[in-house]
């Protein structure tokens, strides 16, 4: 329990007192504690913070049994697995190595398959042209039949048909410059009890901010504050009057009316828009006519996430607030989403446990700790390296102080 982030005071709480994310952690703790021969893990890191993910990786590396894990976190896969079982086009294919090695193998396999497919199709077309041209002539009929038999014996490969993610698109925001939003000496929390104190933050059109820190420190609270979902207890927030905010909440899918369809849900946002416009917007997010008319309860987690992205971006937001947006995206959708955010011309504030995702989408790291908030300019990897250096310096200082104290005590004891 401690390794997965539970404080001692939480160990005796009833499950009904915990949020969905923390209940999932209890389930994961129980599965690990049972010491099984075979461990089956379906997106186990979705609700874990950075420290818990690192502990979990170490657990899996030391685990003596066999585990099979579904995960969209590339770094977790690279650090823990030695085989990838690839499910595509109703087939299973086992690859040796971690995720990066699998991607390299798959790319080479696709290139070879595509080259062979083109070569065979060119041969097939030549044979058919020859048969159509000379098949009826007595002098050429035998040669035509011989070539047809050669074509029939050929083990034709299929074209590369990939089930990879649809590249959905967001509308382009306005450029509101450096005065998009300003938070000045703000305390924020619930029922007048602050979770965050003395927050200062300036957001401009080119801000790419990642919020990091242990669960419960206030990352979601800060996003709610910026979105306007909660008001500051003290201090001031100044917003550009033209600012449009798109907000993706971590558990927002739970608030959808599952009996309605994606089309009905989006139509409610603007009842004056024609049918073709609504279907066009849904189509940009990979929700075709069939999916848009399917009840939300029957959509997959990834399809629900696409619908939430669709709702979030409907009014062309200038600032995207993304609270764990990748939890239900598959790896390829995740990779595409990274590329999209890196080219998005508005501002973004993101929380995620996916280190690769943060590394590729943020240039400002906002660390939210119990003793305060600090900003670091740079990539997430650089922030982690800086933090590790700071911890090492503190440990060295503590060791020196302890040695000096011990020396002084030995000196005093002589007398």
């Amino acid at each position: 329990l401690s390794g997965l982030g539970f404080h001692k005071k939480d160990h005796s709480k009833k499950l009904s007192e915990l949020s969905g994310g923390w209940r999932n952690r209890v389930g994961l703790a129980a599965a690990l504690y049972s010491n099984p021969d075979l461990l089956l893990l379906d997106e186990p890191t979705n609700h874990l913070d950075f420290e818990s993910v690192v502990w979990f990786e170490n657990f899996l590396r030391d685990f003596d049994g066999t585990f099979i894990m579904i995960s969209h976190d590339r770094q977790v896969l690279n650090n823990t697995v030695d085989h990838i079982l690839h499910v595509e086009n109703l087939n299973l294919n086992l690859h040796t190595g971690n995720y990066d090695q699998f991607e390299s193998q798959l790319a080479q396999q696709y290139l070879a398959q595509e080259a062979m497919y083109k070569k065979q199709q060119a041969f097939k077309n030549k044979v058919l042209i020859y048969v159509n041209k000379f098949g009826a002539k007595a002098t050429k009929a035998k040669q035509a039949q011989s070539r047809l038999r050669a074509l029939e014996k050929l083990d034709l490969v299929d074209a590369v048909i990939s089930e990879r993610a649809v590249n959905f698109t967001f509308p382009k925001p306005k450029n509101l410059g450096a005065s998009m939003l300003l938070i000045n000496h703000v305390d924020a929390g619930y029922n007048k009890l602050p979770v965050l104190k003395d927050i200062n933050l300036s957001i401009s059109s080119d801000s790419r901010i990642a919020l990091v820190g242990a669960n419960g420190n206030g990352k979601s609270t800060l996003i709610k504050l910026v979105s306007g979902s909660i008001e500051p207890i003290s201090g001031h927030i100044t917003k550009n009057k033209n600012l449009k905010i798109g907000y993706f909440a971590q558990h927002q899918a739970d608030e959808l009316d599952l009996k309605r369809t994606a089309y009905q849900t989006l139509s409610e946002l603007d009842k004056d828009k024609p049918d073709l416009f609504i279907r066009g917007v849904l189509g940009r997010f990979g929700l075709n006519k069939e999916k848009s008319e399917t009840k939300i309860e029957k959509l997959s987690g990834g399809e629900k996430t696409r619908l939430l992205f669709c709702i979030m971006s409907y009014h062309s937001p200038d600032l995207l607030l993304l609270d764990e947006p990748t939890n239900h995206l598959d790896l390829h959708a995740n990779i595409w989403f990274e590329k999209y955010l890196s080219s998005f011309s508005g501002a973004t504030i993101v929380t995620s446990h996916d280190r690769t995702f943060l590394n590729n989408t943020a240039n400002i790291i906002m660390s939210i700790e119990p003793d305060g908030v600090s900003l670091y300019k740079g990539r997430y990897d650089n922030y982690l390296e800086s933090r590790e250096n700071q911890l090492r310096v503190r440990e060295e200082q503590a060791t020196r102080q302890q040695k000096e104290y011990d020396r002084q005590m030995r000196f005093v004891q002589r007398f």
Side-chain angles (χ1 to χ4, degrees):
L1 289 171
S2 297
L4 292 175
F6 287 91
H7 297 292
K8 277 194 174 182
K9 61 182 176 62
D10 298 321
H11 290 188
S12 58
K13 283 185 177 179
K14 293 181 178 179
L15 292 183
S16 59
E17 298 176 46
L18 302 176
S19 68
W22 284 101
R23 286 199 295 272
N24 281 345
R25 288 199 196 200
V26 174
L28 178 58
L32 303 183
Y33 183 72
S34 66
N35 194 29
D37 301 307
L38 174 61
L39 183 59
L40 304 176
L41 301 163
D42 190 357
E43 298 285 4
T45 62
N46 270 3
H47 300 282
L48 301 184
D49 52 38
F50 172 75
E51 288 79 6
S52 299
V53 170
V54 171
W55 180 90
F56 179 66
E57 287 179 357
N58 290 330
F59 179 95
L60 290 184
R61 280 197 289 264
D62 295 336
F63 182 60
D64 291 330
T66 296
F67 69 85
I68 301 176
M69 175 168 59
I70 300 169
S71 177
H72 65 270
D73 190 321
R74 282 156 286 171
Q75 194 153 351
V76 169
L77 294 177
N78 281 331
N79 291 343
T80 60
V81 309
D82 53 22
H83 287 79
I84 299 290
L85 186 61
H86 185 214
V87 186
E88 186 174 48
N89 300 323
L90 307 181
N91 291 314
L92 297 178
N93 294 290
L94 189 64
H95 298 257
T96 301
N98 62 20
Y99 183 75
D100 284 348
Q101 292 166 333
F102 156 72
E103 278 281 272
S104 176
Q105 293 170 26
L106 193 65
Q108 293 173 10
Q109 177 185 316
Y110 281 162
L111 285 173
Q113 182 178 339
E114 186 67 17
M116 179 58 71
Y117 174 77
K118 288 179 178 178
K119 184 177 179 180
Q120 289 182 342
Q121 290 301 306
F123 174 71
K124 179 181 176 181
N125 290 336
K126 283 182 179 180
V127 169
L128 293 178
I129 289 172
Y130 186 89
V131 170
N132 289 334
K133 188 173 182 180
F134 299 112
K137 293 185 176 181
T139 56
K140 300 284 187 177
K142 285 186 178 181
Q143 291 180 358
Q145 291 302 314
S146 175
R147 295 190 184 191
L148 274 177
R149 284 194 294 272
L151 181 60
E152 289 170 358
K153 291 178 181 178
L154 192 63
D155 186 13
L156 293 172
V157 302
D158 294 326
V160 175
I161 302 173
S162 176
E163 295 174 347
R164 298 194 167 202
V166 176
N167 291 355
F168 39 99
T169 56
F170 287 74
K172 191 174 181 179
K174 298 174 183 175
N175 186 345
L176 299 181
S179 57
M180 184 179 282
L181 187 144
L182 181 64
I183 299 176
N184 191 22
H185 296 292
V186 165
D187 288 357
Y190 310 93
N191 300 321
K192 297 187 177 180
L193 296 175
V195 175
L196 302 169
K197 292 184 177 181
D198 197 28
I199 302 298
N200 295 282
L201 181 64
S202 176
I203 301 173
S204 58
S205 288
D206 60 351
S207 294
R208 301 283 187 276
I209 301 170
L211 305 182
V212 300
N215 286 357
N217 283 1
K219 300 190 297 292
S220 294
T221 299
L222 181 59
I223 283 188
K224 289 177 182 177
L225 177 72
V226 175
S227 73
S229 300
I230 61 173
E231 295 294 327
I233 296 172
S234 62
H236 301 282
I237 298 179
T238 305
K239 294 182 181 180
N240 185 304
K241 65 178 182 179
N242 296 317
L243 176 63
K244 294 179 182 178
I245 295 176
Y247 179 26
F248 179 93
Q250 188 174 161
H251 302 293
Q252 196 174 356
D254 298 336
E255 300 172 11
L256 292 170
D257 184 347
L258 300 182
K259 298 300 180 184
R260 296 174 70 80
T261 66
Y263 176 83
Q264 291 170 331
T265 302
L266 200 64
S267 297
E268 290 295 315
L269 297 179
D270 193 343
K271 295 181 179 179
D272 294 330
K273 290 294 184 184
D275 175 85
L276 282 177
F277 178 85
I278 300 295
R279 295 196 184 282
V281 173
L282 289 165
R284 288 204 302 270
F285 288 82
L287 297 169
N288 58 24
K289 190 173 188 296
E290 178 188 352
K291 292 294 183 183
S292 66
E293 293 179 354
T294 300
K295 288 186 178 181
I296 294 172
E297 64 184 356
K298 294 183 179 180
L299 296 179
S300 69
E303 288 163 346
K304 289 176 185 173
T305 297
R306 290 186 191 184
L307 174 58
L308 292 174
F309 284 158
C310 190
I311 295 169
M312 176 186 71
S313 68
Y314 187 78
H315 294 295
S316 304
D318 313 293
L319 169 62
L320 297 179
L321 306 178
L322 304 166
D323 192 1
E324 298 287 359
T326 64
N327 274 1
H328 295 289
L329 294 180
D330 62 46
L331 270 164
H332 301 297
N334 198 346
I335 292 169
W336 174 86
F337 193 48
E338 282 179 12
K339 291 179 180 178
Y340 165 74
L341 286 185
S342 65
S343 63
F344 179 63
S345 56
T348 59
I349 299 179
V350 179
T351 72
S352 177
H353 65 276
D354 187 330
R355 286 158 289 175
T356 307
F357 180 78
L358 291 182
N359 210 39
N360 293 337
T361 58
N363 55 25
I364 297 175
I365 309 301
M366 190 170 185
S367 177
I368 302 177
E369 305 295 339
D371 57 350
V373 174
S374 59
L375 288 177
Y376 176 89
K377 291 188 177 181
R379 286 161 58 88
Y380 186 60
D381 278 351
N382 302 130
Y383 159 76
L384 290 178
E385 185 178 345
S386 173
R387 192 178 72 164
E388 288 171 1
N389 290 337
Q390 290 173 357
L391 289 174
R392 186 169 58 252
V393 169
R394 289 176 190 171
E395 289 172 358
E396 290 172 353
Q397 288 176 343
T399 301
R400 286 196 299 270
Q401 289 172 356
Q402 185 63 44
K403 286 181 178 179
E404 177 62 21
Y405 174 78
D406 292 343
R407 187 190 67 79
Q408 292 176 0
M409 288 303 295
R410 286 195 299 271
F411 179 79
V412 169
Q413 287 169 0
R414 290 177 189 174
F415 301 95

